[in-house]
Amino acid sequence: MVGGIVYGQSQPPPLGQVEHTATAVAQRAAADEVAAPAADAPLAIAEDTLVAVRVTPGTAALRAELLARAQDVWSERLREPTVDVVLDAAGLAWVGEHDLSIEVIVPDVLAVAEAERERLAQVEVARPSPEQWFSEYRDLPTIHAYLDTLAQLRPDLAQVETVGSSLEGRLLRALHVRGKGQRRFGMVVDGGLHAREWIAMAVSTCVADRLLRGYDQDERIRDFVDQSELWVLPVANPDGYVHSWKSDRYWRKNRRDGHGVDLNRNFGLAWGGDGSSDKPSSQVYRGEGPFSEPESAALRDLMVAHDIDAHIDFHSYGQMLLHPWSHTRTRPRDYAALKKTGKAMVDVMGKPHGTRYRLMSAQSLYPAAGTLMDWAYGELDAKSFVIELRPRGGGGFVLPPEQIVPTCDEGLAAVLTVGESVR
Ligand code: 0X9
Ligand code: ZN
C-alpha cells in the first residue's frame, strides 16, 4: 500500500521504484494519459493508469493478497464481502486471473483528480455569495475566512475559536455557537480528520452556516441553537487538507514526518488494537502513542473541557451511519438508545433527497482501534457517531460539487436529530 497518490510533479522516478513510490504515480499523471480499455478486455487499463474498483475477493487469502497488491485502500468492509482498492494494470490483471467479481468505481483516479484540480483552478474565490459558497469545494484559508464571515453575521450567536494548532503550525479553527436559552447539552461536530474526504469539511462548514442563517426563521434550528453549546471544527486535519489540495488528492493522514499518522487511530481508547498499524507507511498508522498528534490532542482537550453530550465525526464515503463500538464486537452499554437515535438519523437523512444511509455498528464494518468516536463515547459518555457521507461508491472521494448542498441537507438533519435526542 502506498501513502497516497500524487500528481503535479514532473520528474519520472528511476525504474525499479515504480510500484511503491508516490513519485511514480506523479509521473503517470504528468503523462496525461487516459485509460483505454481494449475492446475485447474491458478490464485492461493502460500501464500508467490507476483504477478504483470494488472487488469481492471471496476468501481471506485472496483478500490479503488483493490488499498487498493494492496501490491504495479506499475502503475495507471486513464483515462484507467487498473491498474498495486502487489497482494498477498488474493488479487488475491479477484480479482478472482469479476471476474475482469487480465493479469499477473510478476508471482513472488520477484523471479524476486532475479534472477536479483544473476545475478548481478556474474558480473565482474572491467573495462568492452565500449561495455560491457551497457550490464548490473550498481550500483551507477560504474555509477559515468563512468561519469569520459567519461569526460576523451573527456575533450574538457565534465566535471563532482557535482550539489548537497542527503539527505544521496551522490553526485548528472552530465556530463556537451558543444560543440564548439555557444550555441543555454540549455538542461537537468535526470534519476532515481524513484529508481526502473533502465533502466532510464542506458539510461541517455548511451545517454551521445553516444553523446561523436559519436561526431567525426556523423554530427547530432556533431551539437547537438556544439549548446547546456547539463547536464546529470543519477542518480537523489542516496539514493533510492542504497537502490534498496542493500535491496528493488522495492523502488521508496528517503530515507527521512525511508518512503521516491516521488521526482516527490516534485517540486514547483501545489505542493500538485491531484495525490500526504500527507501520508508518500504513494508511491506518496509529502514531507513537495515544494522542501523539496535536490534532487529536486538541480535539480531546476541547471535548474534555466542555462537557460534551453529543458528537458527530463526518467522513466519506459510503453513505453509512456508524455507532460505537469501533474497536470491539462487545455491544455498547446503551446499544438500544444508540440504535434508536441512529434509526431516527438515517430516517431524517433520507427525507430531503431519498438518499439511503445504512446504520450499523462501526465494528461490524471492520474493527478500528483508537478512533475519535470510541474515545468520545467511552471516555466522555457522549452520544457519538461517524457519518460516512456521499457517495455510496462510484466516484469515491471526488464527489461532484453539485452534491455539497444536498449532502449538507442530510448532515444538518443528522446533527439536529442527535442534538434533540440528548437534550
Ligand atoms: O476507518 C475510518 O477511520 C473511518 N472510515 S474512513 O473510510 N472514512 O476512513 C471509519 C471509522 C469507524 N470505525 C470502524 N469502521 N470500525
Ligand atoms: Zn474518514
Side-chain angles (χ1 to χ4, degrees):
M1 188 192 305
V2 296
I5 294 168
V6 174
Y7 50 58
Q9 297 173 9
S10 56
Q11 289 307 305
L15 279 172
Q17 290 182 10
V18 169
E19 315 120 279
H20 293 298
T21 65
T23 331
V25 190
Q27 201 239 337
R28 295 172 186 139
D32 196 26
E33 288 199 16
V34 175
D40 57 344
L43 286 183
I45 51 170
E47 207 170 308
D48 49 6
T49 299
L50 294 172
V51 59
V53 285
R54 183 162 288 179
V55 185
T56 310
T59 67
L62 285 169
R63 171 188 285 267
E65 192 166 351
L66 174 70
L67 292 174
R69 287 173 182 271
Q71 299 296 303
D72 197 358
V73 179
W74 279 8
S75 176
E76 238 193 292
R77 298 174 167 75
L78 272 193
R79 311 266 172 261
E80 287 185 24
T82 61
V83 49
D84 296 356
V85 286
V86 175
L87 297 176
D88 60 10
L92 200 60
W94 178 86
V95 165
E97 280 158 28
H98 290 80
D99 208 17
L100 304 181
S101 151
I102 187 172
E103 181 193 324
V104 175
I105 299 171
V106 181
D108 185 339
V109 299
L110 296 172
V112 164
E114 189 54 34
E116 181 187 59
R117 199 161 72 127
E118 279 167 14
R119 189 189 79 232
L120 288 167
Q122 307 302 315
V123 168
E124 181 55 73
V125 286
R127 301 203 166 276
S129 67
E131 297 75 40
Q132 287 168 331
W133 207 90
F134 294 103
S135 67
E136 190 47 276
Y137 294 95
R138 305 297 175 184
D139 63 11
L140 182 74
T142 311
I143 293 177
H144 279 176
Y146 196 67
L147 296 181
D148 291 322
T149 304
L150 290 177
Q152 283 152 15
L153 185 77
R154 291 305 301 243
D156 54 333
L157 299 176
Q159 293 94 43
V160 178
E161 283 179 10
T162 297
V163 301
S165 57
S166 70
L167 204 60
E168 294 177 348
R170 296 187 176 86
L171 299 183
L172 293 166
R173 300 192 91 211
L175 199 70
H176 178 192
V177 181
R178 186 74 197 89
K180 294 171 182 170
Q182 195 182 343
R183 171 183 155 141
R184 289 169 65 177
F185 63 98
M187 183 162 178
V188 165
V189 171
D190 71 277
L193 216 49
H194 290 145
R196 61 194 177 183
E197 300 166 8
W198 290 12
I199 186 63
M201 297 72 160
V203 163
S204 316
T205 313
C206 178
V207 165
D209 177 275
R210 294 285 180 88
L211 293 175
L212 296 181
R213 289 185 200 280
Y215 183 86
D216 285 339
Q217 297 86 32
D218 185 323
E219 195 183 340
R220 188 174 173 210
I221 287 180
R222 190 161 56 250
D223 284 350
F224 177 96
V225 171
D226 280 346
Q227 293 172 13
S228 69
E229 187 172 16
L230 170 74
W231 285 262
V232 181
L233 175 65
V235 191
N237 173 13
D239 299 346
Y241 192 48
V242 167
H243 192 67
S244 178
W245 269 74
K246 290 208 169 135
S247 41
D248 181 347
R249 175 63 182 83
Y250 297 101
W251 187 260
R252 167 181 169 96
K253 300 182 278 183
N254 76 354
R255 291 291 300 150
R256 167 75 67 188
D257 296 336
H259 53 67
V261 168
D262 181 354
L263 296 174
N264 208 26
R265 301 293 183 277
N266 190 242
F267 286 76
L269 195 133
W271 180 88
D274 265 10
S276 71
S277 170
D278 62 359
K279 295 193 178 44
S281 62
S282 165
Q283 290 285 44
V284 290
Y285 175 51
R286 56 184 169 247
E288 291 270 295
F291 300 111
S292 58
E293 306 311 295
E295 298 86 359
S296 43
L299 264 161
R300 172 199 59 197
D301 295 346
L302 171 72
M303 292 175 84
V304 164
H306 295 292
D307 194 11
I308 296 304
D309 304 287
H311 167 240
I312 289 184
D313 183 21
F314 281 117
H315 287 253
S316 75
Y317 57 95
Q319 290 173 205
M320 287 175 285
L321 174 62
L322 307 177
H323 67 74
W325 295 105
S326 188
H327 73 285
T328 171
R329 290 185 104 147
T330 314
R331 277 196 176 182
R333 53 194 173 277
D334 42 11
Y335 177 80
L338 286 168
K339 276 280 183 223
K340 188 171 171 223
T341 305
K343 171 80 174 61
M345 290 166 75
V346 292
D347 286 350
V348 296
M349 291 172 87
K351 288 247 162 71
H353 307 286
T355 312
R356 262 190 59 217
Y357 284 80
R358 282 177 304 158
L359 170 66
M360 67 189 94
S361 91
Q363 211 279 347
S364 69
L365 190 64
Y366 54 84
T371 64
L372 168 54
M373 175 181 74
D374 274 9
W375 177 82
Y377 176 68
E379 281 296 320
L380 306 180
D381 204 16
K383 222 177 209 182
S384 178
F385 294 91
V386 163
I387 300 183
E388 300 281 359
L389 294 164
R390 297 185 191 194
R392 167 153 291 193
F397 301 108
V398 180
L399 184 70
E402 304 74 47
Q403 293 200 35
I404 295 172
V405 168
T407 311
C408 174
D409 296 334
E410 294 155 8
L412 176 68
V415 167
L416 293 175
T417 302
V418 184
E420 286 163 359
S421 80
V422 294
R423 72 188 182 196

